[in-house]
Each structure stands twice: as structure tokens, then as C-alpha cells.
Amino acid sequence: MSPARVVLVGPMGVGKSTVGALLAERLGCGYRDTDEDIVAEQGRTVADIFVDEGEPAFRGIEKRAVGRALAEHDGVLALGGGSVLDPDTRALLAGHTVVYLSMDVEEAVKRTGLNTARPLLAVNPRRQWRDLMEARRHLYTEVAQAVVPTDGRTPEEVAAAVLDALELKEA
């Protein structure tokens, strides 16, 4: 039997990539990140796609990348922060074990510095982060079987909390 698939959702900077890699290692399965898939396929950064083509074009690319990854990957999968905005993506997630990694704005400031390398946070980053979370929090919660707060926790502690929340055993 293949390892349980875990799909991680949550805001930018919450640690989906770091925690995802740790989870995959602990579960003895592969790890995949849809933002990395997009960069590899497009040959440019997510920020460059936003700047060059705009958010709607990026969201279309992201939707296709998430659909492919959900169909092909049976390990741990990390999704981009805005992927849950798409109703088709949310419908696809219904058949999967999804964990929402959460954090508050103060933790976001510490982790990301809320800097301009994040295209959606270029102007008034704290307010924009709060606005993004107001728009997305209910979507993350809607698709998730478990919510794991990351505030004040190391990636290792978060990975352990995810395993506990899903009652999964390490490989």
C-alpha cells in the first residue's frame, strides 16, 4: 500500500515547503511542491509570472499544475497559497487528506518579513496579508481535514503535529 497522501495548504510563508519535505521524509514517501512545478515548467519565478502576465494568468497556470500534481503524486504535496481560490481546485481536494497550516500576522512578519519578493504583498504588506487571510481563511478551513497552527513552532514540531492530527505513523 502506498503511503498516505497529505496535501498542505495555507498562506505564503507558513512553511508548507519545509514541513512538506519533513513529512515526506517521516512518512517514507515523495514530496512535491506545485510552485516548484510551475517554476520548472515556465522557466521563471512565480513573481515574474505575476509581473509579466498578471494574477489571472498565473492562477490558470497554477490550477493546471495542481490538477496534474493531485492526479500524479501519491506522497506529500504542498500547494501555493492562493490555489484554494479556484472552486475546481477545491472540488479536486475533496478526495484528499488536506491539512491547513495556519499562522497569525505577527508570525508572518517574522517569517517572510512581508517583503516585496511576494508579489501580492508589495504595498502595505501587513494590511494586504490580513486582507488575503480574510479572503482565504474560510477556504483553507473548508478544504482541510485538520488545522495545524504553526505559530512559535519549529518545522519539526509542525510536522509532528500534522502526523498527530491525521493519526499517521512515521515510516
Side-chain angles (χ1 to χ4, degrees), residues 4 6 19 22-28 76 99 146 148 156-171:
V6 178
V19 170
L22 286 169
L23 276 174
E25 184 180 312
R26 291 181 183 191
L27 292 170
V76 177
V99 176
V148 175
E156 292 78 11
E157 290 168 335
V158 174
V162 169
L163 292 173
D164 288 347
L166 298 177
E167 298 179 358
L168 295 173
K169 303 284 184 246
E170 293 189 35

mmCIF file of all heavy atoms in Angstrom, residues 4 6 19 22-28 76 99 146 148 156-171:
data_model
loop_
_atom_site.group_PDB
_atom_site.id
_atom_site.type_symbol
_atom_site.label_atom_id
_atom_site.label_comp_id
_atom_site.label_asym_id
_atom_site.label_seq_id
_atom_site.Cartn_x
_atom_site.Cartn_y
_atom_site.Cartn_z
ATOM 1 N N ALA A 4 0.142 7.321 2.795
ATOM 2 C CA ALA A 4 -0.992 8.241 2.755
ATOM 3 C C ALA A 4 -0.548 9.556 2.121
ATOM 4 O O ALA A 4 0.537 10.053 2.404
ATOM 5 C CB ALA A 4 -1.500 8.495 4.164
ATOM 6 N N VAL A 6 -0.721 13.484 1.806
ATOM 7 C CA VAL A 6 -1.071 14.647 2.606
ATOM 8 C C VAL A 6 -0.884 15.862 1.709
ATOM 9 O O VAL A 6 0.175 16.026 1.096
ATOM 10 C CB VAL A 6 -0.171 14.780 3.858
ATOM 11 C CG1 VAL A 6 -0.524 16.038 4.647
ATOM 12 C CG2 VAL A 6 -0.283 13.543 4.733
ATOM 13 N N VAL A 19 7.872 22.018 5.884
ATOM 14 C CA VAL A 19 7.139 20.989 6.615
ATOM 15 C C VAL A 19 6.811 19.819 5.686
ATOM 16 O O VAL A 19 6.897 18.654 6.086
ATOM 17 C CB VAL A 19 5.861 21.578 7.249
ATOM 18 C CG1 VAL A 19 4.951 20.489 7.804
ATOM 19 C CG2 VAL A 19 6.233 22.579 8.344
ATOM 20 N N LEU A 22 9.779 17.542 5.349
ATOM 21 C CA LEU A 22 9.951 16.774 6.590
ATOM 22 C C LEU A 22 8.905 15.668 6.699
ATOM 23 O O LEU A 22 9.226 14.539 7.086
ATOM 24 C CB LEU A 22 9.831 17.697 7.809
ATOM 25 C CG LEU A 22 11.006 18.620 8.092
ATOM 26 C CD1 LEU A 22 10.622 19.648 9.154
ATOM 27 C CD2 LEU A 22 12.221 17.823 8.539
ATOM 28 N N LEU A 23 7.666 15.979 6.377
ATOM 29 C CA LEU A 23 6.596 14.971 6.433
ATOM 30 C C LEU A 23 6.879 13.817 5.482
ATOM 31 O O LEU A 23 6.702 12.653 5.844
ATOM 32 C CB LEU A 23 5.252 15.597 6.058
ATOM 33 C CG LEU A 23 4.487 16.315 7.139
ATOM 34 C CD1 LEU A 23 3.255 16.998 6.532
ATOM 35 C CD2 LEU A 23 4.072 15.371 8.245
ATOM 36 N N ALA A 24 7.286 14.161 4.263
ATOM 37 C CA ALA A 24 7.581 13.114 3.273
ATOM 38 C C ALA A 24 8.685 12.197 3.785
ATOM 39 O O ALA A 24 8.592 10.971 3.661
ATOM 40 C CB ALA A 24 7.969 13.747 1.938
ATOM 41 N N GLU A 25 9.696 12.794 4.376
ATOM 42 C CA GLU A 25 10.799 12.000 4.932
ATOM 43 C C GLU A 25 10.279 11.077 6.039
ATOM 44 O O GLU A 25 10.585 9.883 6.077
ATOM 45 C CB GLU A 25 11.866 12.954 5.480
ATOM 46 C CG GLU A 25 13.106 12.283 5.993
ATOM 47 C CD GLU A 25 14.114 13.309 6.507
ATOM 48 O OE1 GLU A 25 14.372 14.290 5.788
ATOM 49 O OE2 GLU A 25 14.605 13.111 7.631
ATOM 50 N N ARG A 26 9.463 11.615 6.930
ATOM 51 C CA ARG A 26 8.943 10.824 8.054
ATOM 52 C C ARG A 26 7.970 9.743 7.602
ATOM 53 O O ARG A 26 7.868 8.702 8.247
ATOM 54 C CB ARG A 26 8.283 11.740 9.079
ATOM 55 C CG ARG A 26 9.283 12.613 9.807
ATOM 56 C CD ARG A 26 8.632 13.489 10.827
ATOM 57 N NE ARG A 26 9.620 14.349 11.456
ATOM 58 C CZ ARG A 26 9.382 15.080 12.526
ATOM 59 N NH1 ARG A 26 8.200 15.048 13.110
ATOM 60 N NH2 ARG A 26 10.319 15.841 13.024
ATOM 61 N N LEU A 27 7.247 10.001 6.514
ATOM 62 C CA LEU A 27 6.279 9.023 6.009
ATOM 63 C C LEU A 27 6.900 8.055 5.001
ATOM 64 O O LEU A 27 6.248 7.109 4.570
ATOM 65 C CB LEU A 27 5.088 9.744 5.366
ATOM 66 C CG LEU A 27 4.186 10.521 6.327
ATOM 67 C CD1 LEU A 27 3.205 11.390 5.540
ATOM 68 C CD2 LEU A 27 3.456 9.564 7.263
ATOM 69 N N GLY A 28 8.140 8.341 4.589
ATOM 70 C CA GLY A 28 8.811 7.468 3.631
ATOM 71 C C GLY A 28 8.204 7.549 2.242
ATOM 72 O O GLY A 28 8.060 6.542 1.551
ATOM 73 N N VAL A 76 3.514 13.543 -0.294
ATOM 74 C CA VAL A 76 3.152 14.810 0.332
ATOM 75 C C VAL A 76 3.225 15.902 -0.727
ATOM 76 O O VAL A 76 4.198 15.989 -1.479
ATOM 77 C CB VAL A 76 4.093 15.139 1.511
ATOM 78 C CG1 VAL A 76 3.755 16.504 2.102
ATOM 79 C CG2 VAL A 76 4.008 14.053 2.580
ATOM 80 N N VAL A 99 -4.336 19.345 4.978
ATOM 81 C CA VAL A 99 -4.027 19.992 6.243
ATOM 82 C C VAL A 99 -3.764 21.469 5.975
ATOM 83 O O VAL A 99 -2.966 21.821 5.106
ATOM 84 C CB VAL A 99 -2.791 19.360 6.920
ATOM 85 C CG1 VAL A 99 -2.428 20.118 8.203
ATOM 86 C CG2 VAL A 99 -3.044 17.891 7.218
ATOM 87 N N ALA A 146 -7.795 18.865 8.836
ATOM 88 C CA ALA A 146 -7.136 19.271 10.079
ATOM 89 C C ALA A 146 -6.514 20.650 9.894
ATOM 90 O O ALA A 146 -6.064 20.988 8.798
ATOM 91 C CB ALA A 146 -6.055 18.260 10.457
ATOM 92 N N VAL A 148 -3.497 22.948 11.584
ATOM 93 C CA VAL A 148 -2.342 22.871 12.472
ATOM 94 C C VAL A 148 -1.706 24.256 12.569
ATOM 95 O O VAL A 148 -1.132 24.741 11.590
ATOM 96 C CB VAL A 148 -1.312 21.829 11.968
ATOM 97 C CG1 VAL A 148 -0.059 21.849 12.838
ATOM 98 C CG2 VAL A 148 -1.934 20.437 11.952
ATOM 99 N N GLU A 156 9.947 20.975 12.592
ATOM 100 C CA GLU A 156 9.873 19.610 13.112
ATOM 101 C C GLU A 156 8.647 19.433 14.001
ATOM 102 O O GLU A 156 7.967 18.409 13.955
ATOM 103 C CB GLU A 156 11.153 19.250 13.881
ATOM 104 C CG GLU A 156 12.391 19.128 13.019
ATOM 105 C CD GLU A 156 13.011 20.475 12.613
ATOM 106 O OE1 GLU A 156 12.616 21.548 13.151
ATOM 107 O OE2 GLU A 156 13.879 20.451 11.727
ATOM 108 N N GLU A 157 8.363 20.437 14.846
ATOM 109 C CA GLU A 157 7.188 20.379 15.718
ATOM 110 C C GLU A 157 5.894 20.417 14.904
ATOM 111 O O GLU A 157 4.926 19.725 15.222
ATOM 112 C CB GLU A 157 7.208 21.533 16.728
ATOM 113 C CG GLU A 157 8.291 21.395 17.776
ATOM 114 C CD GLU A 157 8.519 22.653 18.601
ATOM 115 O OE1 GLU A 157 8.225 23.773 18.123
ATOM 116 O OE2 GLU A 157 9.013 22.520 19.729
ATOM 117 N N VAL A 158 5.887 21.219 13.841
ATOM 118 C CA VAL A 158 4.702 21.296 12.983
ATOM 119 C C VAL A 158 4.483 19.957 12.275
ATOM 120 O O VAL A 158 3.365 19.450 12.220
ATOM 121 C CB VAL A 158 4.817 22.449 11.959
ATOM 122 C CG1 VAL A 158 3.646 22.428 10.978
ATOM 123 C CG2 VAL A 158 4.881 23.794 12.679
ATOM 124 N N ALA A 159 5.565 19.379 11.749
ATOM 125 C CA ALA A 159 5.450 18.074 11.075
ATOM 126 C C ALA A 159 4.896 17.024 12.040
ATOM 127 O O ALA A 159 4.002 16.250 11.684
ATOM 128 C CB ALA A 159 6.802 17.637 10.509
ATOM 129 N N ALA A 160 5.398 17.011 13.271
ATOM 130 C CA ALA A 160 4.897 16.060 14.273
ATOM 131 C C ALA A 160 3.421 16.320 14.571
ATOM 132 O O ALA A 160 2.633 15.379 14.709
ATOM 133 C CB ALA A 160 5.731 16.163 15.555
ATOM 134 N N ALA A 161 3.020 17.593 14.643
ATOM 135 C CA ALA A 161 1.618 17.944 14.912
ATOM 136 C C ALA A 161 0.708 17.498 13.761
ATOM 137 O O ALA A 161 -0.420 17.061 13.993
ATOM 138 C CB ALA A 161 1.483 19.444 15.155
ATOM 139 N N VAL A 162 1.202 17.586 12.522
ATOM 140 C CA VAL A 162 0.422 17.119 11.368
ATOM 141 C C VAL A 162 0.213 15.609 11.464
ATOM 142 O O VAL A 162 -0.901 15.109 11.295
ATOM 143 C CB VAL A 162 1.093 17.499 10.028
ATOM 144 C CG1 VAL A 162 0.429 16.795 8.857
ATOM 145 C CG2 VAL A 162 1.070 19.013 9.832
ATOM 146 N N LEU A 163 1.294 14.879 11.748
ATOM 147 C CA LEU A 163 1.180 13.424 11.891
ATOM 148 C C LEU A 163 0.190 13.064 12.995
ATOM 149 O O LEU A 163 -0.644 12.177 12.818
ATOM 150 C CB LEU A 163 2.556 12.808 12.172
ATOM 151 C CG LEU A 163 3.566 12.868 11.036
ATOM 152 C CD1 LEU A 163 4.932 12.385 11.517
ATOM 153 C CD2 LEU A 163 3.111 12.093 9.831
ATOM 154 N N ASP A 164 0.272 13.775 14.113
ATOM 155 C CA ASP A 164 -0.657 13.528 15.218
ATOM 156 C C ASP A 164 -2.095 13.825 14.808
ATOM 157 O O ASP A 164 -3.008 13.043 15.082
ATOM 158 C CB ASP A 164 -0.293 14.385 16.433
ATOM 159 C CG ASP A 164 0.969 13.912 17.142
ATOM 160 O OD1 ASP A 164 1.429 12.778 16.854
ATOM 161 O OD2 ASP A 164 1.479 14.677 17.977
ATOM 162 N N ALA A 165 -2.293 14.978 14.161
ATOM 163 C CA ALA A 165 -3.643 15.391 13.775
ATOM 164 C C ALA A 165 -4.296 14.384 12.829
ATOM 165 O O ALA A 165 -5.496 14.137 12.887
ATOM 166 C CB ALA A 165 -3.614 16.770 13.132
ATOM 167 N N LEU A 166 -3.481 13.781 11.961
ATOM 168 C CA LEU A 166 -4.002 12.820 10.979
ATOM 169 C C LEU A 166 -3.879 11.369 11.464
ATOM 170 O O LEU A 166 -4.266 10.450 10.746
ATOM 171 C CB LEU A 166 -3.266 12.985 9.649
ATOM 172 C CG LEU A 166 -3.434 14.345 8.973
ATOM 173 C CD1 LEU A 166 -2.594 14.405 7.698
ATOM 174 C CD2 LEU A 166 -4.895 14.658 8.693
ATOM 175 N N GLU A 167 -3.304 11.209 12.655
ATOM 176 C CA GLU A 167 -3.077 9.885 13.223
ATOM 177 C C GLU A 167 -2.286 8.994 12.263
ATOM 178 O O GLU A 167 -2.628 7.838 12.022
ATOM 179 C CB GLU A 167 -4.415 9.241 13.620
ATOM 180 C CG GLU A 167 -5.139 10.036 14.682
ATOM 181 C CD GLU A 167 -6.475 9.438 15.094
ATOM 182 O OE1 GLU A 167 -6.879 8.414 14.529
ATOM 183 O OE2 GLU A 167 -7.095 10.010 16.011
ATOM 184 N N LEU A 168 -1.221 9.577 11.700
ATOM 185 C CA LEU A 168 -0.341 8.842 10.789
ATOM 186 C C LEU A 168 0.911 8.410 11.535
ATOM 187 O O LEU A 168 1.396 9.121 12.426
ATOM 188 C CB LEU A 168 0.051 9.722 9.593
ATOM 189 C CG LEU A 168 -1.081 10.126 8.660
ATOM 190 C CD1 LEU A 168 -0.573 11.122 7.629
ATOM 191 C CD2 LEU A 168 -1.663 8.911 7.973
ATOM 192 N N LYS A 169 1.444 7.299 11.150
ATOM 193 C CA LYS A 169 2.671 6.772 11.759
ATOM 194 C C LYS A 169 3.845 7.042 10.836
ATOM 195 O O LYS A 169 3.733 6.979 9.619
ATOM 196 C CB LYS A 169 2.545 5.255 11.966
ATOM 197 C CG LYS A 169 1.353 4.847 12.809
ATOM 198 C CD LYS A 169 1.599 5.124 14.276
ATOM 199 C CE LYS A 169 0.478 4.632 15.131
ATOM 200 N NZ LYS A 169 -0.265 5.672 15.800
ATOM 201 N N GLU A 170 4.994 7.322 11.470
ATOM 202 C CA GLU A 170 6.219 7.508 10.677
ATOM 203 C C GLU A 170 6.633 6.182 10.073
ATOM 204 O O GLU A 170 6.373 5.118 10.636
ATOM 205 C CB GLU A 170 7.335 8.068 11.555
ATOM 206 C CG GLU A 170 7.052 9.484 12.030
ATOM 207 C CD GLU A 170 8.229 10.125 12.723
ATOM 208 O OE1 GLU A 170 9.381 9.853 12.318
ATOM 209 O OE2 GLU A 170 7.995 10.921 13.636
ATOM 210 N N ALA A 171 7.303 6.279 8.909
ATOM 211 C CA ALA A 171 7.757 5.063 8.209
ATOM 212 C C ALA A 171 8.905 4.416 8.942
ATOM 213 O O ALA A 171 9.636 5.038 9.657
ATOM 214 C CB ALA A 171 8.178 5.426 6.785
#
